[in-house]
Amino acid sequence: MAVAKRTSTNVLLDTALKNFYAAAEEMGLEDGLIDILSHSERRTCVSIPVEMDDGTVKVFDGYRVLHSSAVGPGKGGVRFHPEVNLDECEALGMMMTWKCSLAGIPYGGGKGGVSCEPLELSKKEKERISRTWAARMAPVIGAWTDIPAPDVNTGGPEMVWFMDTISKMKNQLEPAIFTGKPIPLWGSKGRTAATGYGVATCALELLKNLGKSPEGATVAIQGFGNVGTYAALTMIGAGAKVVGISDITGTYYAPNGLDIKKAFDHVSNHPKRLLEGFTCDGCQKLDLPEVLFLDCDIFIPAALEGVINGKNADKVKAKYIVEAANGPITPEGDAILDEKGILIVPDFLANSGGVIGSYFEWAQDLGGFFWSEEEYNDRLIRIMKDNFQRVWSYAKEKNVKMRRAAFMAAIQRVADAVRMRGVFL
């Protein structure tokens, strides 16, 4: 009897499930394995009571989902955002399973977060939320269980608060439970730039395989946070022109190329790390959604999920899309882009530089031995290039799109692990 397929009203989870089912069926995966891998192993919800700066108490909702531990401990970020919910965490956890599998690293997928508005929180309020989240999640996270990392609106400070809280609860240092930590506190040189560096590497590998030079290639990037900035800096370093960037304050466009180093400095010095007030020669400010529809060779969505969908995909003008965000294109949008002949490098291949970098940090923390930034980057780029070429060749061999090829290769590794380990009580 065919397995009953799960569906969800959450766009991101529904997208993750549809992509999985389609690839699994094309592979001829057994019904039992399809059923196992379409469900998460653990979904945890906690309440986070926090005393605010004004003396009032507010309770936030916190989440952590472990999708699969078949290949290794869970790995995935913790995001602070008003729209964080359990279904979103499950979808992102599932995507992390395939990302880690495709990268060939010994991790399964996990994801977590807190439903809050970071822009309305003080530093001390963020610290209280972070420490309480870590304390409540202590039973389900660990260096060999589930290893959180930064995500949307979290970074080094939150990872330090997480690590310090768990370490104090256990009365021993636990640096390997969390990655994305500052370098002085068991962090890893190269980690900050890893995701954006990896995205740009995939974009450059795409151009190389298409027989095109990066010199003068035009790029637009949605989102100018950590991933977007380092992707932009790497692309201009290779000779490309970044003509459009955006954040919540709008789209900044210059057809002859933006001064990305100036934009990076502007964001670095802005109190809220925003592009607000940024100007450079030839730059014009457009409405926020316009970054999706700029005329360019490569578009890099590096913000939130579902930004290209059935309602707007027909307006996309880019020739190629390299997905830096998780799930930025819905299946409906994907179909429209396919009809337009737009080639897409899927998220869990393109943005895997971050989780590969997390793997490096974890390995260094466990061993207490740290690498140089050059060694870190050399290993990262080698893995990213190998992974891209493997998916590119698989797609050509099987005559399928890169997204399907990446899914099939990733699912196969996890399915093989489940078969070998068997079903346990």
Side-chain angles (χ1 to χ4, degrees):
M1 184 175 67
V3 63
K5 292 182 180 179
R6 294 181 62 198
T7 59
S8 175
T9 56
N10 179 276
V11 173
L12 190 59
L13 180 55
D14 199 52
T15 298
L17 288 167
K18 285 178 178 177
N19 283 330
F20 167 69
Y21 285 131
E25 289 174 0
E26 188 165 340
M27 294 167 61
L29 206 63
E30 309 94 291
D31 286 350
L33 281 173
I34 292 176
D35 213 8
I36 290 171
L37 297 178
S38 64
H39 289 79
S40 293
E41 293 180 15
R42 180 171 60 234
R43 294 161 35 115
T44 305
C45 303
V46 297
S47 61
I48 304 173
V50 172
E51 183 176 348
M52 310 301 284
D53 289 347
D54 63 4
T56 61
V57 173
K58 185 173 181 180
V59 179
F60 298 88
D61 292 322
Y63 308 96
R64 187 69 187 176
V65 173
L66 173 63
H67 172 252
S68 173
S69 63
V71 174
K75 191 79 194 76
V78 179
R79 57 176 52 183
F80 286 6
H81 193 274
E83 296 180 8
V84 169
N85 58 68
L86 189 61
D87 283 348
E88 177 189 72
C89 290
E90 179 168 21
L92 295 170
M94 180 180 288
M95 292 177 187
M96 284 299 300
T97 295
W98 313 138
K99 184 187 298 185
C100 294
S101 174
L102 189 67
I105 56 180
Y107 289 146
K111 207 73 173 185
V114 178
S115 179
C116 64
E117 177 48 82
L119 295 177
E120 296 176 358
L121 299 171
S122 70
K123 180 179 178 180
K124 293 303 295 182
E125 288 169 341
K126 287 181 184 177
E127 180 178 353
R128 294 179 200 122
I129 290 173
S130 299
R131 289 186 180 278
T132 307
W133 182 91
R136 292 286 170 95
M137 292 296 177
V140 297
I141 59 177
W144 293 100
T145 309
D146 189 5
I147 308 155
D151 202 273
V152 177
N153 295 319
T154 62
E158 288 77 15
M159 299 307 112
V160 171
W161 295 327
F162 290 159
M163 180 190 73
D164 185 64
T165 300
I166 299 296
S167 295
K168 287 175 177 173
M169 291 175 68
K170 295 191 174 185
N171 198 33
Q172 65 182 33
L173 184 64
E174 292 284 355
I177 296 182
F178 301 96
T179 58
K181 303 179 297 297
I183 293 172
L185 287 173
W186 293 69
S188 183
K189 293 177 181 178
R191 174 64 182 86
T192 301
T195 304
Y197 202 10
V199 168
T201 298
C202 283
L204 295 171
E205 286 296 295
L206 172 64
L207 292 174
K208 184 176 76 173
N209 279 273
L210 292 171
K212 299 179 181 296
S213 170
E215 290 287 339
T218 54
V219 181
I221 301 175
Q222 182 200 32
F224 206 65
N226 186 56
V227 177
T229 53
Y230 285 105
L233 288 167
T234 306
M235 292 304 294
I236 64 169
K241 291 194 302 184
V242 177
V243 298
I245 54 178
S246 75
D247 65 9
I248 60 173
T249 66
T251 293
Y252 301 79
Y253 172 64
N256 292 321
L258 293 160
D259 187 337
I260 293 300
K261 293 181 180 178
K262 183 178 179 181
F264 179 76
D265 291 339
H266 179 91
V267 169
S268 299
N269 294 314
H270 191 283
K272 294 184 178 179
R273 300 189 65 82
L274 297 174
L275 284 165
E276 183 179 35
F278 169 70
T279 59
C280 69
D281 292 342
C283 176
Q284 54 184 301
K285 187 177 179 183
L286 307 175
D287 291 338
L288 177 57
E290 291 304 310
V291 71
L292 301 172
F293 315 124
L294 295 178
D295 192 356
C296 59
D297 295 314
I298 298 175
F299 175 56
I300 299 176
L304 295 174
E305 61 276 352
V307 294
I308 299 177
N309 49 59
K311 296 179 180 179
N312 63 14
D314 61 314
K315 302 182 200 174
V316 174
K317 298 175 184 175
K319 297 182 181 73
Y320 319 110
I321 295 177
V322 180
E323 296 182 324
N326 292 308
I329 304 173
T330 67
E332 294 76 16
D334 219 348
I336 294 171
L337 296 176
D338 187 33
E339 289 179 6
K340 290 167 65 72
I342 297 175
L343 197 158
I344 299 168
V345 180
D347 49 4
F348 62 102
L349 169 60
N351 67 17
S352 61
V355 74
I356 294 169
S358 287
Y359 168 53
F360 292 168
E361 182 178 336
W362 176 73
Q364 292 171 79
D365 286 345
L366 290 173
F369 180 79
F370 293 86
W371 312 338
S372 68
E373 187 168 355
E374 291 75 19
E375 184 177 7
Y376 181 106
N377 288 335
D378 286 346
R379 294 185 183 203
L380 174 67
I381 297 307
R382 183 171 66 250
I383 292 174
M384 291 298 303
K385 286 183 176 181
D386 287 348
N387 288 346
F388 183 94
Q389 293 303 328
R390 186 168 71 254
V391 174
W392 181 267
S393 298
Y394 193 99
K396 294 299 181 185
E397 178 188 346
K398 301 294 184 182
N399 194 28
V400 295
K401 303 299 180 185
M402 287 193 74
R403 188 186 309 282
R404 182 58 55 82
F407 265 109
M408 293 169 74
I411 291 169
Q412 189 65 60
R413 181 181 178 220
V414 181
D416 288 345
V418 174
R419 287 193 193 98
M420 286 187 283
R421 296 182 66 168
V423 178
F424 185 63
L425 296 177

